[in-house]
Amino acid sequence: MKKPLQQVQKEYEDFINHLPDYINQLKSYFKTDTFHYGLSEIEQVEKFLKKHKKKSASLGLTPEQLDTMVVAYLGVAWLWHFGGQWFMVKHQSASEYGVPLLAGFGGKEYRGVAINPSGWVSMSRENQLDKPISAIYKNYIWFFENHPQYPLEPIRNIQ
């Protein structure tokens, strides 16, 4: 049974409102004051997730807390590179119901799919991704560099 919309909406709003907190928490594990959201750093965050996915308690975190922190990082990294905005699917019949997603990047003419950092984290946790998450970013970077008709408006408000 899926959670009621009110509960899912509150969880989504809490996630969005606490993005800076999740980023700061992750920075503390990396012993850095600032993230630059480059491909090598994205790769390091994915390695961090894989290293701790079965032993998040060693960090003082539940698996869900670790996932949320990494989802926040990947979403902010997406905004940093490509822009867009967070949104949530409110239709209970949708497979991504209640999941924080990203869309609205690449200008009005771009018809891409919504980006699902939660899905990437889940698939990475289960070793179901056919390529590293950093490679997904690399592919999108290449695409937008080679398709200037899709303008990007990066959002760099969280470091």
Side-chain angles (χ1 to χ4, degrees):
M1 179 125 196
K2 293 190 177 186
K3 296 176 186 177
L5 180 58
Q6 277 186 321
Q7 180 182 352
V8 169
Q9 183 71 38
K10 180 171 181 349
E11 290 171 358
Y12 168 78
E13 289 170 4
D14 287 346
F15 172 78
I16 297 301
N17 291 333
H18 290 94
L19 281 170
D21 300 327
Y22 300 133
I23 298 300
N24 287 333
Q25 186 178 16
L26 187 60
K27 284 191 284 191
S28 72
Y29 292 111
F30 278 80
K31 297 179 178 20
T32 187
D33 292 328
T34 306
F35 280 139
H36 59 81
Y37 303 103
L39 292 175
S40 63
E41 187 180 89
I42 293 167
E43 187 177 312
Q44 291 304 311
V45 169
E46 184 174 16
K47 286 179 182 177
F48 176 82
L49 173 66
K50 287 182 178 186
K51 177 180 178 182
H52 297 289
K53 68 182 179 183
K54 293 194 173 153
K55 54 182 180 175
S56 60
S58 68
L59 300 170
L61 300 170
T62 65
E64 294 79 18
Q65 290 169 322
L66 174 62
D67 288 358
T68 298
M69 198 170 51
V70 174
V71 167
Y73 172 86
L74 293 173
V76 171
W78 186 269
L79 296 171
W80 190 267
H81 284 279
F82 308 108
Q85 65 269 345
W86 290 98
F87 76 100
M88 179 193 84
V89 175
K90 296 181 181 181
H91 303 288
Q92 286 189 343
S93 61
S95 63
E96 293 173 330
Y97 169 68
V99 176
L101 303 170
L102 292 152
F105 50 90
K108 292 177 183 174
E109 300 301 317
Y110 182 69
R111 300 287 181 245
V113 297
I115 300 303
N116 182 352
S118 298
W120 295 340
V121 168
S122 295
M123 292 176 74
S124 179
R125 180 180 282 286
E126 301 300 322
N127 297 316
Q128 294 178 341
L129 285 177
D130 59 353
K131 58 185 164 190
I133 294 171
S134 59
I136 296 169
Y137 283 79
K138 186 176 180 180
N139 289 345
Y140 273 96
I141 289 168
W142 178 90
F143 177 84
F144 285 111
E145 284 177 348
N146 288 283
H147 295 88
Q149 69 269 32
Y150 303 122
L152 297 177
E153 296 179 24
I155 298 171
R156 298 182 174 169
N157 58 354
I158 299 177
Q159 290 188 318

